[in-house]
Amino acid sequence: MSGSGQREDETLIEMTVTDDISVLTDFRTPDSAGEDINGSLLDNNSITDSELPGNSEGLSSTESTFLISNHQRIDKHAQSKDSVFFWDGSRRIDFVLSYTEDTGKDAEKKAERRREFELNLQKSGLELETEDKKESENGKTYFVKIHAPWEVLTTYAEVLNLKMPLKADDLKDDSENILSHVLKLFKLPQEVMYPEPDYFTAPFRKDKQELFRTEEREKFFTPSTRNRIVYYILSRCHYGEEEGKKKFGIKRLLTNGSYLDAYPLHDCQYWKKTDERNCERYTLYTHWAKFTRFYKEQPLDLIRKYYGEKIGIYFAWLGFYTEMLFYAAVVGFFCFLYGWITMDDSISSKEICDPNIGGQIIMCPLCDKRCEFWRLNSTCEPSQYSHMFDNVATLFFAIFMGIWVTLFLEFWKRRQARLEYEWDLVDFEEEQQQLQLRPEYESKCTEKKKNPVTQENELVIKQTACNFLAKMFWCWMSVLFWIALIIASIIAIIVYRLWVYAAFASIMDNNLALKPVSNLLTPQLATSVTASVLNFVTIMILNFLYERVAIWITDMEIPRTHLEYENRLTMKMFLFQFVNYYSSCFYVAFFKGKFVGYPADYSYLFGKWRNEECDPAGCLIELTTQLTIVMAGKQIWGNIQEAFVPWTWNWLKRRKARNHPQNLYSRWEHDGDLQTFGGLGLFNEYLEMVVQFGFITLFVASFPLAPLLALLNNILEIRVDSWKLTTQFKRPVAAKAHSIGVWQEILNGIAILSVVTNAFIVAFTSDMIPRLVYYYAYSQDEGTPMSGYIGSSLSVFNVSDFKEQSMPMENDMNVISCRYRDYRYPPGHEKEYQVTMQYWHILAAKMAFIIIMEHVVFLVKFFVAWLIPDVPSEVKARVKREKFLTQKILHEYELEKLKQKLCNKNEPLSNDKEFIATKGKVALSAAM
């Protein structure tokens, strides 16, 4: 790509393809045009060939002076080592590479790779400055500082189709209202929220630079844009051939140990302002990353400017999700409050706790042989607590959350559309698909294939259908194997629950020390809590192992673009996490107590362990316990892992810096000692939040306080993520993203599934439907319609009908008949132990409730989705205005150029046809 007229003072770049791999060649700066590449070009880049890695001659960085292109001598001690500029104080450090001289057998090979790589970086126009190992703290590490000059930036801005500012936005924002003054406490200063004015933008063109706001070249390209461009070059620059294949990319050099690290620098220290030309990191820390700022809004524009759009869109989504959680948390808290206030009014709990009712009901043993008969009032307190979550507010909250999740997703689409416009991401999807090819994919390409859309030859990987199918088969078989492993672990925990219940029952009956808490800590509750903790530990271990397996599987597939890679990895990881985190909750909600049988014919797992029964007050309290332990445990562990682990590693590394003042401990060393925010850093953050979203939507009918717990966690999560990103991690390479990607589809899927799961929880896990059926169809007391409900929900069993394997070993109370939770005819009836008509009435009511609730909620969801447009009207107006102005400016520019060409007699048009065409174009432009 070159400017109009092929001006000699412009920088040229030629993209060539050699052996089906794109390489960067023959990039010369204006000062080096026409000169030998090994001559003045290297002088211009402040590094001579002798200074390249592996050479022992040339200028040493330990000297106080060194040569630059104009051959002036610069005093290195005059420039602080805490600076983010070259020693000349004018050229910004856009990227840093570090390495040590290896003494092993591959030392020469690594040195040669570095020499070739850095030489090719210079050929592509980048400027390098190497810090000798004697300047480093450990005396072993070299640091290669990279600067991208204006010519390189403008060239690759056009290559990457970056949108740059044309003129100021002339549309006023009318969003100011009375709430802006009411919420002033939560606002940040304007200069922090909006670090740059609003501009209309257009894809950058080198031959039309005068159209853009290039008056201040230092500010035209932000540091995040600069490091993105440099990384694009680094990831595609070749460093030689090995085994007949051309090798390229900084990732490979990091993998094979040629370089230790590659990272852009933070612009200043986070705890103090410096004399640098800007200090956005300090601003982010003081206004965003401090925990005392938890109630303040996020400076999204500044986050985007410093870290790039991909990280910016994550924090925008997390902040919006947290705001929406506030409304769900308020409603959920009031539903819980209603249950707590009405706890003493529950007739069912009163009957269970009444010594004359619950105290006289003898229940059948809950396990074979070792368990004893027990009185119903021993579960008094658990039944009271169960009412806090199992009441009429549960139904209301389940319906509310079905509508809330739709509002959240629809309003997020609108917020995302606004960000797409404000951050110049409206047409980004196609650009991302075309330009962000993974270097790993390009390195495997051996053939060319014509694109049916562009009609251009594109690099593709040669593979037969059999190889492709075999690879996909083994990849997905690995995924299924790990999912089967999770299911096996869940079965093992179920076996643990069945086996340990009898032990807890025996211990609590025989241990006098536990008698005071026996009413609260029942064998059922003890089993549930310990099983939940064991399940949580198993989840964490399997997560740790599977994450590495999922990455390995996705790498084997060799996806074409970064977007494809992330989408494939996301689907594998979420599928695994879905089974891993939610399977135990699904078991308690939909399977426990549903396939028990009855005392004369119990059901057994693998013919050995008797299936678990629910508490007489229902399984909902157990589901609440399971959900609370797994959800809260995951959030606490996640925050500890995210904050404490990187802080500890950095503390251990930085102890050496305590004895090194600023003039000795350089900025590039300081940043090099920070933790690396890897390619999966943001992926793990999204995964954590989406799993949490599943907890508060899929099972929220069992625990109305789940949104409140999520809200408190997210308020902390935003500050933990911002704190670690600002203080504990190297600055990530800026990347673009126009949305949250495939996570949006996953959230939509969870939202739809949540309506079904909550309908089933209300119908089959809670006791609401059986109570309503009793209230309207079987109640015999008009004054207190729910009196007698507990008796009607318990069937009678003759102890003499126990099978030998189920008969308890002890019967100290001389029980003749016992009760169990079911709707069956009593002994002596002509339909002895068969289900009663009430059972079928309740089942029909449950199925009718599920159908009605699902249809009502889905109808409201789809109506709300249709009612709320995805893109706000003012955003549509701004997009149209920007396109109109861009076309107008370009037409006026072309018109002016054509007028100059027509008026210039020294440059006659080549022929009459061109003259006619030009006149027609001028007339058309003027008319438009």
Side-chain angles (χ1 to χ4, degrees):
M1 304 173 191
S2 62
S4 62
Q6 299 287 328
R7 294 194 300 266
E8 292 182 356
D9 62 334
E10 290 186 349
T11 304
L12 304 178
I13 182 169
E14 180 186 355
M15 300 291 293
T16 63
V17 179
T18 304
D19 296 334
D20 297 319
I21 297 179
S22 298
V23 295
L24 309 169
T25 63
D26 204 24
F27 192 114
R28 302 192 181 189
T29 61
D31 297 335
S32 63
E35 298 181 15
D36 181 68
I37 192 65
N38 294 318
S40 60
L41 173 62
L42 298 184
D43 272 344
N44 186 54
N45 292 331
S46 305
I47 182 169
T48 66
D49 186 59
S50 61
E51 289 177 281
L52 290 171
N55 290 317
S56 58
E57 299 179 357
L59 284 172
S60 171
S61 293
T62 58
E63 300 176 9
S64 61
T65 60
F66 69 107
L67 293 176
I68 58 173
S69 57
N70 57 7
H71 302 288
Q72 295 176 344
R73 304 185 72 81
I74 301 295
D75 185 3
K76 292 176 67 173
H77 295 299
Q79 179 76 5
S80 169
K81 293 190 75 174
D82 194 42
S83 174
V84 293
F85 291 89
F86 276 17
W87 288 114
D88 58 13
S90 61
R91 291 175 293 172
R92 173 179 287 275
I93 302 172
D94 296 313
F95 230 88
V96 175
L97 308 178
S98 65
Y99 66 91
T100 56
E101 288 184 333
D102 200 341
T103 57
K105 60 180 181 179
D106 294 332
E108 184 59 35
K109 182 183 289 187
K110 291 179 180 179
E112 179 60 33
R113 289 170 183 160
R114 290 193 294 266
R115 277 195 296 269
E116 183 71 19
F117 186 69
E118 293 178 21
L119 185 62
N120 287 326
L121 288 179
Q122 292 175 316
K123 289 180 180 179
S124 66
L126 297 178
E127 298 176 0
L128 276 58
E129 186 176 77
T130 301
E131 287 291 318
D132 193 88
K133 64 181 180 181
K134 296 177 183 178
E135 294 283 342
S136 66
E137 186 276 334
N138 60 13
K140 300 177 182 179
T141 308
Y142 290 89
F143 292 92
V144 181
K145 298 175 286 185
I146 301 174
H147 168 74
W150 174 260
E151 292 77 12
V152 173
L153 296 172
T154 53
T155 297
Y156 281 92
E158 186 170 354
V159 170
L160 294 172
N161 200 35
L162 298 183
K163 288 187 174 182
M164 306 306 292
L166 282 173
K167 61 173 295 185
D169 190 340
D170 60 356
L171 292 181
K172 294 183 179 180
D173 188 0
D174 299 325
S175 59
E176 286 289 328
N177 51 48
I178 192 172
L179 285 178
S180 300
H181 302 286
V182 175
L183 302 176
K184 191 174 182 179
L185 175 67
F186 306 101
K187 299 289 184 181
L188 289 173
Q190 286 292 104
E191 62 273 14
V192 177
M193 282 300 296
Y194 307 104
E196 292 180 333
D198 239 351
Y199 293 110
F200 287 125
T201 60
F204 185 79
R205 293 286 302 275
K206 279 189 65 178
D207 57 350
K208 295 181 175 62
Q209 288 189 36
E210 55 267 34
L211 291 177
F212 298 88
R213 304 181 67 88
T214 57
E215 299 86 4
E216 296 183 88
R217 290 190 171 188
E218 291 184 0
K219 296 182 179 180
F220 186 70
F221 292 104
T222 62
S224 60
T225 303
R226 296 176 69 99
N227 71 56
R228 181 188 171 206
I229 289 174
V230 173
Y231 186 75
Y232 183 86
I233 299 172
L234 290 174
S235 63
R236 284 157 176 78
C237 187
H238 70 88
Y239 57 85
E241 293 188 7
E242 297 177 10
E243 300 176 356
K245 294 182 179 180
K246 192 173 289 295
K247 301 293 183 179
F248 67 96
I250 187 62
K251 282 188 178 180
R252 285 179 175 271
L253 290 171
L254 291 171
T255 302
N256 60 37
S258 299
Y259 287 102
L260 297 178
D261 211 343
Y263 51 92
L265 292 181
H266 285 290
D267 62 359
C268 65
Q269 303 289 8
Y270 69 86
W271 64 83
K272 64 177 181 178
K273 274 192 173 182
T274 63
D275 56 357
E276 301 289 357
R277 294 164 201 183
N278 52 34
C279 201
E280 292 170 352
R281 186 189 187 193
Y282 174 79
T283 304
L284 285 170
Y285 175 72
T286 54
H287 291 282
W288 178 52
K290 284 188 174 180
F291 293 94
T292 54
R293 297 281 180 167
F294 72 91
Y295 60 93
K296 293 286 187 180
E297 61 183 338
Q298 298 187 85
L300 295 178
D301 286 351
L302 187 59
I303 297 169
R304 172 247 183 169
K305 182 183 176 185
Y306 192 76
Y307 290 113
E309 288 79 4
K310 194 168 187 178
I311 290 178
I313 205 82
Y314 163 73
F315 280 104
W317 176 81
L318 179 57
F320 183 80
Y321 171 44
T322 304
E323 289 174 20
M324 292 295 291
L325 272 176
F326 173 78
Y327 305 106
V330 169
V331 176
F333 176 75
F334 279 110
C335 289
F336 171 79
L337 198 62
Y338 170 83
W340 181 64
I341 292 173
T342 60
M343 185 168 60
D344 295 334
D345 298 332
S346 172
I347 301 299
S348 300
S349 297
K350 287 181 177 180
E351 289 186 349
I352 291 175
C353 298
D354 191 338
N356 297 321
I357 302 177
Q360 301 302 315
I361 297 177
I362 306 298
M363 301 296 294
C364 297
L366 293 174
C367 65
D368 292 340
K369 292 191 175 181
R370 295 179 63 182
C371 292
E372 299 178 352
F373 297 98
W374 53 286
R375 297 186 184 276
L376 181 60
N377 65 348
S378 63
T379 62
C380 173
E381 292 189 23
S383 69
Q384 290 177 328
Y385 296 138
S386 178
H387 176 76
M388 289 192 295
F389 306 104
D390 190 1
N391 52 69
V392 69
T394 301
L395 173 60
F396 166 77
F397 192 59
I399 296 174
F400 168 81
M401 286 301 293
I403 299 171
W404 173 88
V405 73
T406 304
L407 291 172
F408 162 63
L409 294 174
E410 292 303 316
F411 282 126
W412 165 246
K413 289 179 185 177
R414 291 170 61 84
R415 180 76 176 111
Q416 186 172 265
R418 190 182 297 276
L419 289 175
E420 282 185 27
Y421 167 73
E422 292 175 355
W423 293 355
D424 300 318
L425 301 169
V426 174
D427 302 318
F428 175 68
E429 186 171 6
E430 183 176 353
E431 170 198 336
Q432 176 168 332
Q433 289 285 349
Q434 293 177 354
L435 295 178
Q436 294 191 359
L437 291 179
R438 297 177 66 241
E440 295 85 351
Y441 175 86
E442 292 179 317
S443 65
K444 298 288 184 181
C445 293
T446 55
E447 289 188 351
K448 291 182 178 180
K449 185 178 179 181
K450 182 176 288 188
N451 187 311
V453 178
T454 63
Q455 293 298 306
E456 294 179 357
N457 289 328
E458 294 182 349
L459 295 170
V460 294
I461 297 177
K462 182 182 180 181
Q463 59 180 349
T464 62
C466 292
N467 289 338
F468 174 77
L469 292 175
K471 185 187 296 183
M472 296 303 294
F473 173 78
W474 285 112
C475 287
W476 284 103
M477 282 300 293
S478 301
V479 175
L480 293 176
F481 167 77
W482 279 88
I483 291 176
L485 189 63
I486 296 173
I487 296 173
S489 69
I490 294 299
I491 293 174
I493 291 172
I494 293 172
V495 171
Y496 164 84
R497 298 170 71 110
L498 300 176
W499 175 78
V500 82
Y501 176 81
F504 276 124
S506 177
I507 291 172
M508 291 180 181
D509 285 341
N510 301 324
N511 195 328
L512 296 178
L514 295 176
K515 287 294 182 183
V517 295
S518 60
N519 289 335
L520 179 62
L521 187 64
T522 61
Q524 294 99 319
L525 183 60
T527 302
S528 179
V529 171
T530 56
S532 299
V533 172
L534 181 62
N535 180 54
F536 173 71
V537 174
T538 306
I539 286 171
M540 292 296 104
I541 294 173
L542 290 175
N543 273 348
F544 176 79
L545 297 174
Y546 181 75
E547 180 178 328
R548 286 142 184 82
V549 174
I551 294 171
W552 173 71
I553 293 172
T554 309
D555 287 339
M556 281 181 56
E557 296 176 358
I558 318 177
R560 184 171 180 267
T561 65
H562 293 284
L563 181 64
E564 288 181 14
Y565 182 90
E566 290 180 3
N567 288 349
R568 293 187 187 185
L569 181 61
T570 298
M571 293 308 298
K572 292 183 183 68
M573 282 297 295
F574 181 74
L575 182 63
F576 175 85
Q577 298 276 24
F578 185 90
V579 179
N580 198 18
Y581 278 106
Y582 304 143
S583 54
S584 58
C585 293
F586 272 101
Y587 164 72
V588 174
F590 306 123
F591 295 97
K592 183 180 178 181
K594 307 300 186 295
F595 309 99
V596 177
Y598 63 100
D601 187 21
Y602 281 123
S603 299
Y604 289 82
L605 181 65
F606 304 129
K608 186 174 182 180
W609 293 284
R610 187 175 125 190
N611 289 344
E612 286 185 283
E613 295 183 42
C614 286
D615 189 270
C619 270
L620 198 68
I621 189 65
E622 251 191 88
L623 178 58
T624 303
T625 304
Q626 177 79 22
L627 184 65
T628 305
I629 290 176
V630 176
M631 180 181 172
K634 180 185 182 303
Q635 293 179 348
I636 293 171
W637 173 252
N639 285 322
I640 292 174
Q641 194 175 25
E642 289 180 16
F644 183 74
V645 173
W647 180 85
T648 303
W649 282 110
N650 288 335
W651 180 80
L652 293 173
K653 283 186 176 183
R654 285 180 178 176
R655 284 192 305 172
K656 63 185 180 183
R658 296 175 183 174
N659 301 321
H660 296 277
Q662 175 180 310
N663 62 336
L664 295 178
Y665 195 57
S666 65
R667 167 59 57 80
W668 38 92
E669 288 181 276
H670 187 278
D671 281 15
D673 284 341
L674 298 176
Q675 299 297 298
T676 301
F677 191 76
L680 294 179
L682 213 54
F683 169 85
N684 290 327
E685 300 296 341
Y686 273 119
L687 185 61
E688 178 186 1
M689 288 295 101
V690 170
V691 169
Q692 181 204 84
F693 181 80
F695 278 126
I696 69 164
T697 53
L698 294 174
F699 309 102
V700 75
S702 67
F703 190 37
L705 291 180
L708 179 60
L709 289 182
L711 173 65
L712 297 176
N713 172 80
N714 287 9
I715 291 172
L716 181 64
E717 179 77 20
I718 291 174
R719 303 305 155 180
V720 169
D721 288 348
S722 59
W723 172 80
K724 72 178 183 182
L725 201 60
T726 307
T727 67
Q728 304 301 311
F729 284 90
K730 298 181 181 73
R731 185 175 186 169
V733 178
K736 279 185 174 289
H738 76 295
S739 67
I740 61 175
V742 72
W743 298 110
Q744 182 79 36
E745 301 304 321
I746 291 175
L747 292 174
N748 289 332
I750 293 176
I752 294 173
L753 181 61
S754 67
V755 177
V756 180
T757 56
N758 283 301
F760 272 85
I761 287 173
V762 173
F764 286 96
T765 309
S766 79
D767 263 8
M768 181 176 297
I769 302 301
R771 286 199 297 264
L772 289 175
V773 171
Y774 180 83
Y775 182 91
Y776 288 106
Y778 292 91
S779 176
Q780 298 176 354
D781 189 339
E782 295 182 0
T784 53
M786 289 305 297
S787 62
Y789 167 72
I790 291 297
S792 76
S793 65
L794 299 175
S795 300
V796 180
F797 181 75
N798 194 334
V799 173
S800 61
D801 293 333
F802 268 124
K803 292 182 179 179
E804 183 180 352
Q805 64 178 11
S806 302
M807 180 69 74
M809 291 185 292
E810 297 180 2
N811 188 0
D812 297 335
M813 293 186 290
N814 297 318
V815 177
I816 300 174
S817 65
C818 60
R819 309 292 290 272
Y820 60 99
R821 184 182 171 86
D822 207 343
Y823 296 93
R824 293 180 181 271
Y825 290 108
H829 195 276
E830 59 180 5
K831 296 181 179 180
E832 184 180 66
Y833 300 139
Q834 294 183 23
V835 293
T836 64
M837 200 53 143
Q838 187 176 356
Y839 169 85
W840 296 111
H841 287 164
I842 292 173
L843 181 61
K846 288 179 177 180
M847 300 306 296
F849 170 80
I850 291 172
I851 294 171
I852 293 172
M853 178 179 170
E854 286 182 358
H855 281 70
V856 169
V857 175
F858 278 133
L859 185 63
V860 174
K861 278 171 62 70
F862 293 135
F863 175 74
V864 170
W866 169 81
L867 191 64
I868 302 174
D870 292 346
V871 183
S873 56
E874 65 269 21
V875 173
K876 290 181 180 179
R878 288 173 179 271
V879 171
K880 292 178 181 178
R881 174 68 175 165
E882 181 168 327
K883 288 183 178 179
F884 168 76
L885 276 182
T886 302
Q887 291 178 357
K888 181 180 178 181
I889 292 170
L890 292 175
H891 274 96
E892 289 175 352
Y893 175 82
E894 291 292 340
L895 179 62
E896 188 63 30
K897 288 290 185 182
L898 288 170
K899 284 182 178 179
Q900 291 178 5
K901 193 173 184 180
L902 288 171
C903 296
N904 191 351
K905 297 180 180 180
N906 296 327
E907 295 183 11
L909 296 177
S910 57
N911 52 57
D912 293 340
K913 290 184 178 179
E914 184 178 351
F915 177 77
I916 295 171
T918 304
K919 286 186 66 176
K921 187 174 182 181
V922 171
L924 179 61
S925 298
M928 293 183 66

